Amino acid sequence: MALTVRVIAPDKTVWDSAAEEVILPSTTGQLGILPKHAPLLTALDTGVMRVRTGKEWLPIAVMGGFAEVDKDEVTILVNSAERGADIDREEARTTFAQAQERFSKAQQSGDRQEFIKATQAYKRARARYQATGAMVS
């Protein structure tokens, strides 16, 4: 038995296929979904979701949203998403390094608004870089 998984962003459907397992970056931590999971509605944080098809794991960077699980169907509505295979790893690494620097400066600046913006940019850049398969501490 498999799950039907759909990842839908405002501008495109990022994934629409069967999977054996899904790991979601919920706002309360990582959440694993297997067939016959109880019905569920959860908020998603910016991070990397993983979809298992056979023995292979497919990473997808998601930028917040919601996930609904019902009768072996997982519907994920996100603000934005990209499959890891579609992300240029070097560009993601550069963006991540810039976001880290901005975040460090914002922590020291005391400017609350800049800190919030820098935190969001850091989380987005980190998710994109991780989705390429990079190890990020």
Side-chain angles (χ1 to χ4, degrees):
M1 176 160 277
L3 298 166
T4 299
V5 181
R6 289 182 191 88
V7 180
I8 304 166
D11 59 339
K12 63 184 172 185
T13 298
V14 179
W15 178 265
D16 187 359
S17 191
E20 281 77 45
E21 182 178 2
V22 178
I23 298 176
L24 300 170
S26 80
T27 55
T28 58
Q30 297 291 308
L31 178 64
I33 308 294
L34 292 167
K36 298 188 180 184
H37 194 284
L40 171 75
L41 180 63
T42 187
L44 298 179
D45 201 357
T46 297
V48 179
M49 68 172 281
R50 302 189 188 284
V51 179
R52 183 169 62 90
T53 59
K55 294 181 181 178
E56 193 174 334
W57 285 93
L58 170 79
I60 300 174
V62 295
M63 307 307 161
F66 294 92
E68 178 185 35
V69 179
D70 190 32
K71 298 179 185 163
D72 290 336
E73 290 192 14
V74 183
T75 304
I76 300 156
L77 303 174
V78 292
N79 298 321
S80 176
E82 288 180 87
R83 293 173 58 162
D86 296 338
I87 300 170
D88 179 300
R89 187 176 198 160
E90 189 56 33
E91 181 268 328
R93 186 196 63 74
T94 301
T95 303
F96 178 63
Q98 292 168 347
Q100 278 183 306
E101 186 175 326
R102 179 181 176 193
F103 179 72
S104 293
K105 288 179 181 176
Q107 282 181 308
Q108 298 167 5
S109 75
D111 182 342
R112 180 86 174 130
Q113 190 172 8
E114 176 57 24
F115 177 74
I116 292 168
K117 289 178 183 178
T119 300
Q120 291 303 312
Y122 173 78
K123 288 171 74 173
R124 284 190 303 271
R126 185 173 197 258
R128 289 186 77 244
Y129 190 38
Q130 281 182 316
T132 67
M135 297 299 290
V136 179
S137 58

